[in-house]
């Protein structure tokens, strides 16, 4: 089977179920982000999923930055 996708292999075939459950796609200030839970009400930005090149230049959403995260 061939998958034509921009999604990284780790998201399609995660190493284990626990790692997969910690990652979420959210929208923050109109920018789609892939985040990973790191602790109580906190997460780390893993990847910017936007198609707008200007979003990659924003310091507020660069990968590795920790942001608050609240489950709904």
């Amino acid at each position: 089977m061939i998958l034509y996708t921009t999604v990284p292999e780790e998201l399609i075939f995660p190493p284990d179920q626990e790692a997969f459950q910690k990652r979420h796609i959210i929208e923050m200030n109109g920018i789609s982000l892939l985040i990973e839970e790191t602790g109580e009400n906190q997460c780390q930005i893993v990847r910017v999923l936007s198609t707008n090149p200007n979003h990659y230049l924003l310091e507020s959403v660069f990968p590795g930055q920790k942001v608050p995260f609240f489950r709904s």
Side-chain angles (χ1 to χ4, degrees):
M1 173 175 45
I2 298 173
L3 297 176
Y4 296 99
T5 179
T6 59
V7 177
E9 180 182 342
E10 301 86 41
L11 288 180
I12 298 170
F13 306 109
D16 60 4
Q17 190 66 19
E18 184 179 319
F20 182 72
Q21 291 176 344
K22 288 184 177 183
R23 292 196 172 189
H24 307 281
I25 296 175
I26 64 166
E27 189 169 314
M28 188 170 88
N29 298 331
I31 303 169
S32 294
L33 302 170
L34 176 65
I35 57 141
E36 184 173 306
E37 293 179 49
T38 57
E40 187 69 30
N41 297 332
Q42 193 171 31
C43 65
Q44 182 174 4
I45 298 174
V46 176
R47 187 173 179 199
V48 178
L49 300 175
S50 174
T51 57
N52 185 343
N54 292 323
H55 291 162
Y56 291 86
L57 301 174
L58 296 174
E59 291 182 11
S60 61
V61 293
F62 64 87
Q65 182 174 0
K66 298 207 186 271
V67 293
F69 174 68
F70 303 102
R71 280 186 180 237
S72 51

